[in-house]
Amino acid sequence: MSTYCVTGGAGFIGSHLCERLLKLGHRVVCIDNFNGVYDYKIKIKNILNSTGLETTFQYSNKETDLLHLQQAVEGDSYKLVVADIRHADELAAAFGNERIDAVIHLAAMAGVRPSIEDPLLYEDVNVRGTLTVLEAMRKHGVRKWLCASSSSVYGNQAKVPFSEEDRVDRSISPYAATKKACEVLGHTYYHLHDIDTIMLRFFTVYGERQRPDLAIHKFVGMLDRGEPLTVYGDGSSRRDYTYVGDIVDGMIGALAFVEGHETVYEIVNIGTNRTISLLELVRSIEQAFGKEALLRWLPNQPGDVEQTYADISKANGLFGYDPQTDFAEGLHKFVTWYRGN
C-alpha cells in the first residue's frame, strides 16, 4: 500500500482520483481548502461518494461541517486535511505527519474568464501555491509527483492536433499563463532537487461531479430550468471533451510510470484526439436530456481559444493511455448523475 497526497482532492477530478486510489488499496491524504468558488456542500458530497461513506450528513455551518467531515472519513485508508496550498505551515503539518510516496497536485483556481477578472488571485494560488507544494515536497523528501496543467497553454494554435512539442509561450489568458508557469517550476525542481515530474495537460474534462460552472453542467442546468443557453460566438469553436474516467486512467498510468522510472520530466497531453463543436455539444445535450434548448447568442469572450485538440500518442507510448469513453456515452452518464443529484 502506498500513500498518495492529492491536493484539490475534494473537487471534481480530485474526488474521482481519490476514489480510484482507495479502490486500488492505497492510502490517500486529501488536501483541500473548500474555497467559496462554489458551495462547499458539493465538495462534502464528493468526499462522501469517493470514500464510500454511506451517511446522512447533517449540515450546520461550514467550519463545523468540515470538522465533522474530517472525523467521519478519518481511517486507515483516508485522511482529509483542510488546508490552503499557499500556506507553508499548513502543508508542513500535513506532510510531517505522513510518509507520502507521491503527490498528485490538482488544486488550483480554474477557469479562463474568471482569471481575466482577477489575475493576481490566479497567480497567487496557481503559481505561489504550486511552489509552496514543491517546497513541502523538497523538505519532506517526496520525490515523485504529477501536476495538472491544461490544454489552455496552447493558446490559438493553427496546427492541430496539439503536440507536446508545440510552442506554448503565447498564452491568451492569465489562467493559461499560470499553468505554463507551473510546468516551468516543475522542471526547475526536477533539475535542482531530483523531483521526478509528469505535467498532465488535461483537455476539457467532463462527467459525474463536474463543477457547476463548467459548460456541460451549466447547459444541462439551464435546459432543466427552461432557461436560454448562452452560446458565445457562432457555435463553431471546438473542444476535445475528455470523460473523467479516462482522465483518471491517464493519471493512474502516469503515476505508475513516474514511480517506476528515475530522472523523469515529461509533459503529456491527456485528451481523446477527437473534437466536438459548441453547437454539436448543444444538440447532443438536447438529445441526452430529451428537451429542446432556447439559445441566446453572444459575441466571443476574451481568452477563449478557438479549439482544443490533443495528440495523445505520447501518453499512449509512455504508459498505454487509451481513452475508451465516447462522448455520447460519457454525456449519458453525466445526465444520469445530474438527475440523481
Side-chain angles (χ1 to χ4, degrees), residues 181-287:
C182 291
E183 294 181 355
V184 176
L185 283 172
H187 187 272
T188 302
Y189 274 69
Y190 158 74
H191 174 74
L192 292 177
H193 305 300
D194 300 319
I195 295 180
D196 292 321
T197 300
I198 296 184
M199 309 297 304
L200 298 170
R201 289 177 178 168
F202 295 146
F203 281 69
T204 316
V205 189
Y206 73 100
E208 303 92 317
R209 304 178 201 158
Q210 188 186 47
R211 296 200 324 266
D213 61 302
L214 295 179
I216 291 177
H217 196 154
K218 185 163 60 175
F219 280 1
V220 168
M222 288 176 170
L223 187 62
D224 187 25
R225 295 187 297 271
E227 300 171 2
L229 275 57
T230 302
V231 178
Y232 294 102
D234 61 3
S236 65
S237 62
R238 306 188 70 86
R239 296 289 181 268
D240 189 329
Y241 290 99
T242 314
Y243 180 63
V244 67
D246 291 323
I247 290 286
V248 172
D249 287 344
M251 285 191 285
I252 295 297
L255 186 58
F257 182 87
V258 77
E259 288 192 300
H261 295 77
E262 299 295 329
T263 61
V264 174
Y265 178 84
E266 299 287 354
I267 296 174
V268 183
N269 290 337
I270 303 292
T272 62
N273 194 233
R274 297 184 296 273
T275 67
I276 294 173
S277 74
L278 180 55
L279 197 54
E280 289 171 333
L281 170 65
V282 171
R283 300 310 177 207
S284 297
I285 289 174
E286 287 178 324
Q287 184 175 2

Side-chain angles (χ1 to χ4, degrees), residues 12-232:
F12 165 37
I13 300 173
S15 65
H16 281 281
L17 176 62
C18 291
E19 183 175 358
R20 181 75 65 84
L21 291 171
L22 291 170
K23 287 180 178 177
L24 290 172
H26 300 298
R27 174 169 169 77
V28 171
V29 178
C30 168
I31 295 178
D32 207 292
N33 73 337
F34 295 81
N35 64 27
V37 173
Y38 55 92
D39 191 344
Y40 74 94
K41 296 174 185 176
I42 294 174
K43 286 191 171 185
I44 288 180
K45 191 167 186 178
N46 288 347
I47 288 180
L48 294 175
N49 288 333
S50 65
T51 57
L53 186 64
E54 297 182 5
T55 181
T56 301
F57 199 87
Q58 299 297 321
Y59 293 100
S60 175
N61 59 70
K62 185 175 182 179
E63 183 177 356
T64 301
D65 292 345
L66 293 182
L67 179 60
H68 288 168
L69 180 66
Q70 287 178 290
Q71 295 169 342
V73 299
E74 181 83 31
D76 293 338
S77 298
Y78 189 91
K79 181 177 182 178
L80 171 62
V81 179
V82 179
D84 190 317
I85 59 169
R86 294 170 290 179
H87 299 164
D89 55 340
E90 295 178 10
L91 290 184
F95 277 73
N97 293 325
E98 299 285 344
R99 184 174 179 179
I100 294 170
D101 295 288
V103 171
I104 302 94
H105 178 44
L106 305 177
M109 289 297 298
V112 166
R113 295 169 194 160
S115 77
I116 297 172
E117 297 171 6
D118 198 350
L120 294 179
L121 174 63
Y122 274 68
E123 183 277 334
D124 191 31
V125 175
N126 295 359
V127 181
R128 180 180 175 83
T130 296
L131 187 56
T132 307
V133 170
L134 282 165
E135 275 293 279
M137 291 173 59
R138 179 184 66 82
K139 292 175 181 177
H140 292 91
V142 183
R143 294 294 181 262
K144 305 284 184 179
W145 82 317
L146 309 180
C147 181
S149 186
S150 167
S151 62
S152 66
V153 301
Y154 288 106
N156 277 323
Q157 297 268 12
K159 169 189 159 294
V160 292
F162 299 162
S163 165
E164 294 88 349
E165 301 302 317
D166 293 340
R167 183 176 177 179
V168 290
D169 56 359
R170 295 179 177 177
S171 299
I172 63 171
S173 71
Y175 172 69
T178 65
K179 286 300 184 179
K180 174 59 180 175
C182 291
E183 294 181 355
V184 176
L185 283 172
H187 187 272
T188 302
Y189 274 69
Y190 158 74
H191 174 74
L192 292 177
H193 305 300
D194 300 319
I195 295 180
D196 292 321
T197 300
I198 296 184
M199 309 297 304
L200 298 170
R201 289 177 178 168
F202 295 146
F203 281 69
T204 316
V205 189
Y206 73 100
E208 303 92 317
R209 304 178 201 158
Q210 188 186 47
R211 296 200 324 266
D213 61 302
L214 295 179
I216 291 177
H217 196 154
K218 185 163 60 175
F219 280 1
V220 168
M222 288 176 170
L223 187 62
D224 187 25
R225 295 187 297 271
E227 300 171 2
L229 275 57
T230 302
V231 178
Y232 294 102

